[in-house]
Amino acid sequence: MPPAGPGPAAGQPHTPEQLPAVGQPPAPEPRPADADRRRFLTYLLAAPTLTVAARAGLDAVAPATARAAEAPPAPAAPPAAAPPSAPSQLLGLPGIPDIVDLGQALQVAGLPTAHLLVLEITTAGRAVLHLPRLEVGQGLTTTVAMMVAEELDARLTDVDVPLSDSRPDLLFNQLTGASNSVRTLYDPVRGAAAAARARLVTAAARRWSLPADTLRTADSAVTAPDGRRAGYGELAAEAAAVVVPAVPATPKPPEQRRVIGRPTGRIDARDIVTGRAKYAGDLAVPGAVPTVVARPSTINGTLASLDASAARAMPGVLAVVTVPTGVAVLAETFDQALKARDALRTSWNPGPVAALSDPDIRGKLRAAHAPFLIPPLLTQYVDGEFDFAFVNHAPMEVLTAIADVRPNRAEIWFAAQTPIVAQQTLAAELGLPQDAVTVHVVRGGGSFGRRLFYDAAVEAARISRAAGRPVKLMWTRNDDMRHGRMRPASHHRVRATYGLGQVLSYEHRAATVMTDFGHGLGEALTAAGFQLSVAGLSLAQAFFLLSQSNPYNVGIPTQLLAEVPLKIPTGSWRSVYSGTVRVADEIMMDELARRLGQDPVAFRRARLREPAGRTVLDTVARAGAWGRAMPAGQAQGIGYHAENGGRAAYLVEIDATDPRQPRVTKAVIAADVGTVINPTGLEAQLTGALIDGISVILQAGNHIDRGAVREGSFGDFHYARQRHTPPVVEIHLLPPSGPPGGAGELGVPAASAAVANAYARATGTSPRSFPINF
């Protein structure tokens, strides 16, 4: 990317920022009339170079009229979550996510430690922000670097965004998930960078004895009217002595931005394609030897007998040890370890679900539903029942973890979305104090929710302890497919009543195999003020209520979650509940429109509660030429979803002339996610969501056969290949409409629904089980 253009003059017509001495609590800062609901204070940390932190206050759910502009910033806790039968649900009022969503709850939980996000300007002129989140290919490091470069008026190439090790001091502020990273980091990162820029300008003004408001910043340097120039690196030490800057330390107004909103390639792209980017499997930790594990024949089975004599005698084999999850083989190379693993003679005890297959699980899900409230005899109605299969996360980089466990300490390297909880769990497992366990967060090659869990790291630590040496553990694709975590299977019952052209009630009953949320989310929600025990909610129900909202006026809506506890490893898969709940809703919207004799887009548009949603829907319908004539066996489909402060609509065209070999031939996408930091990155996220939708609706899922996962690799887990992807994809990003919303999970429900609806229209069928070709 070319360097950013010249920044604004250093002086602005605002009152200079008033800061206390280093180490003292910051005083309240005047708030501009057009500021949003976040307020930031910056202060210096004791350091030889310029090191600035930002502290935030967030009025998460308080109405604007109740906020005092000059009051000290204090986190406002959201109301305790209501149970599923809350009056707001039964009266058809907005659901909880319309008031405070999951991302906002996580923002509140992170507020007490937001000031620990630190930006440093080094003497080498590098702007370094240690990121307390995980980079898994979503481009977060690029997005954060753009925010720093924008407010600092630095070259993007001068910004470094390394990943932070586990930091227990951050409490609930080091969790990567719920499309929350940009929403949470947007203001603190910009606040810290703006504060650093103000101090650099002040340092230059003092050096040159010039008024600070006559200086300009651009390209990582301060420039005087007479042409004198000082790079940020040479000013860093002097800037560290500035307590009260001579110019405002507030982020730029949108009209002055030159980096944010500009399509930008990833800052790590060259490193990725040249192999310089290091994943866990690339790290050369001294003494860490290749390790693989032989695993049970069924889910959560246990070892019955072992004969390892043949394996131990094979070339390169260093050790064979047993752990609760299987038998680990350590060798000089992975090839040797895999061959020795295959030479083990093992027998296994069956796991706790060895008697179950897909039909048994579907039966349990169907039996778990609460009855509908509206009897079918009282009005006209449309019923729908939908099955969704288990789905593996299948990140391209298989799970890898390095562990070096000693008697009095442990050091772990892996891609962790929840490193603090991982550190706590590892410490408890190893019988060590938490501060004796170091978790190094390494970039990951994809996640989609899989790396919220740290099972590979725990297993590596167990093996290292048992073998008495460092190990580099690799889960093969078969390991993760058959013994890792999956999106739970679910069954949905929906009943919509209607009359006189209107939808009168809408009841959605979702039953899922229990989702494991044991990765720290519950503690974060409690910290944000959601008293789960008081409300009588399970963590899953709280998550469900904070994330699920029907965006349409459909009379009296109710949404209820029932869980079936089975000992199957599950986890949050991209979009979590929305990836099935909202897909069923969108299919029902098509069927209701058909029953009422209305166009599906017009039917949705007339009922969308948000004007912004109608704009998104109008945009995609216009750009995709909705309603155009198509040959027999081909059709268009539409899907809409709003969540995490964003909204998206997908329009796809499908060729289902052969219903067993359907092909999405075109996709048009429209999205409004507030302020877009990097349009290129957002387009990549929305495109990835399209591929997910094509996959899980048409062909990709996991079967359970007598307690075992049938699929083992991409050879039989039929994720979309290049031949399944549309040759034409158009993306339309709406102009900024507020602070950034979440985007990582936004597109999957809308894309999935659009594919399902297009297939139904093309084939004249009403698919009820997904993936369709399973």
Side-chain angles (χ1 to χ4, degrees), residues 718-745:
H718 298 297
Y719 217 75
R721 308 299 202 269
Q722 189 162 350
R723 68 178 182 273
H724 301 124
T725 61
V728 178
V729 178
E730 297 177 12
I731 300 177
H732 301 267
L733 303 181
L734 274 65
S737 59
E745 300 172 286

Side-chain angles (χ1 to χ4, degrees), residues 490-548:
S490 64
H491 180 263
H492 302 253
R493 284 181 178 162
V494 183
R495 171 169 294 166
T497 65
Y498 64 94
L500 301 177
Q502 298 298 321
V503 181
L504 305 176
S505 68
Y506 190 91
E507 299 184 70
H508 191 141
R509 303 288 182 265
T512 76
V513 174
M514 184 176 289
T515 305
D516 189 342
F517 286 108
H519 44 57
L521 179 64
E523 292 84 352
L525 293 181
T526 300
F530 287 85
Q531 302 301 322
L532 306 183
S533 59
V534 175
L537 296 174
S538 70
L539 178 54
Q541 288 169 327
F543 191 108
F544 186 83
L545 286 176
L546 283 167
S547 62
Q548 298 310 297

Side-chain angles (χ1 to χ4, degrees), residues 689-711:
L690 171 65
I691 305 307
D692 285 341
I694 291 171
S695 300
V696 299
I697 291 299
L698 296 180
Q699 60 203 49
N702 293 104
H703 294 83
I704 305 297
D705 290 335
R706 297 182 298 279
V709 177
R710 183 191 303 173
E711 288 73 21

Side-chain angles (χ1 to χ4, degrees), residues 305-317:
S305 67
L306 168 66
D307 179 356
S309 56
R312 286 193 172 100
M314 294 180 70
V317 174

Side-chain angles (χ1 to χ4, degrees), residues 590 599-601 620-621 623-631 633-639 650-655 666 668 753-762:
D590 258 35
D599 173 79
V601 169
V620 81
W626 171 260
R628 73 182 185 87
M630 299 189 71
Q634 300 180 33
Q636 296 176 314
I638 199 84
Y650 282 64
L651 187 158
V652 305
E653 297 184 358
I654 198 168
D655 183 346
K666 181 178 180 180
V668 180
V755 174
N757 285 331
Y759 183 92
R761 288 162 59 89

Side-chain angles (χ1 to χ4, degrees), residues 158-459:
D158 290 339
V159 182
D160 297 322
V161 187
L163 306 184
S164 296
D165 288 349
S166 174
R167 291 182 53 188
D169 56 315
L170 290 174
L171 300 178
F172 310 106
N173 210 2
Q174 202 176 5
L175 185 153
T176 308
S179 296
N180 189 51
S181 292
V182 173
R183 297 177 78 185
T184 300
L185 296 170
Y186 177 67
D187 284 321
V189 168
R190 292 186 308 125
R197 174 179 170 272
R199 287 169 174 81
L200 291 162
V201 169
T202 302
R206 292 177 180 177
R207 175 187 287 191
W208 296 327
S209 298
L210 292 173
D213 61 3
T214 66
L215 307 182
R216 299 184 68 83
T217 52
D219 296 338
S220 305
V222 182
T223 304
D226 59 8
R228 280 180 288 179
R229 185 178 184 276
Y232 288 165
E234 61 183 285
L235 292 170
E238 296 168 58
V242 176
V243 176
V244 179
V247 293
T250 53
K252 299 176 184 177
E255 63 272 13
Q256 292 183 4
R257 292 173 181 165
R258 292 170 172 79
V259 180
I260 288 177
R262 180 176 181 174
T264 302
R266 290 182 54 147
I267 61 173
D268 54 359
R270 183 177 295 274
D271 287 347
I272 291 172
V273 299
T274 59
R276 291 180 58 191
K278 300 300 182 186
Y279 301 84
D282 300 317
L283 301 180
V285 174
V289 297
T291 303
V292 295
V293 173
R295 303 185 186 278
S297 52
T298 57
I299 296 170
N300 290 325
T302 56
L303 183 66
S305 67
L306 168 66
D307 179 356
S309 56
R312 286 193 172 100
M314 294 180 70
V317 174
L318 302 172
V320 176
V321 299
T322 60
V323 289
T325 46
V327 183
V329 178
L330 292 66
E332 293 174 359
T333 68
F334 276 112
D335 180 63
Q336 292 169 333
L338 289 166
K339 289 177 178 176
R341 184 194 66 175
D342 293 342
L344 294 171
R345 297 184 180 91
T346 57
S347 64
W348 304 94
N349 297 312
V353 294
L356 299 181
S357 296
D358 283 335
D360 308 298
I361 296 170
R362 283 195 294 270
K364 290 179 179 293
L365 292 172
R366 290 169 182 263
H369 289 295
F372 289 129
L373 298 177
I374 308 295
L377 302 178
L378 300 181
T379 185
Q380 293 177 294
Y381 68 97
V382 177
D383 277 1
E385 293 199 28
F386 306 92
D387 286 299
F388 294 89
F390 290 98
V391 178
N392 195 271
H393 297 81
M396 289 303 295
E397 181 210 8
V398 294
L399 302 182
T400 306
I402 300 173
D404 183 0
V405 177
R406 307 295 173 91
N408 60 350
R409 67 170 180 83
E411 201 167 0
I412 316 290
W413 293 258
F414 73 109
Q417 289 181 249
T418 54
I420 297 173
V421 181
Q423 182 186 25
Q424 294 167 344
T425 304
L426 286 160
E429 170 69 27
L430 299 171
L432 293 172
Q434 186 173 335
D435 60 5
V437 177
T438 302
V439 173
H440 301 292
V441 179
V442 184
R443 70 161 59 233
S447 176
F448 320 111
R450 178 63 181 92
R451 300 179 198 276
L452 284 165
F453 286 91
Y454 33 82
D455 28 6
V458 172
E459 188 175 59

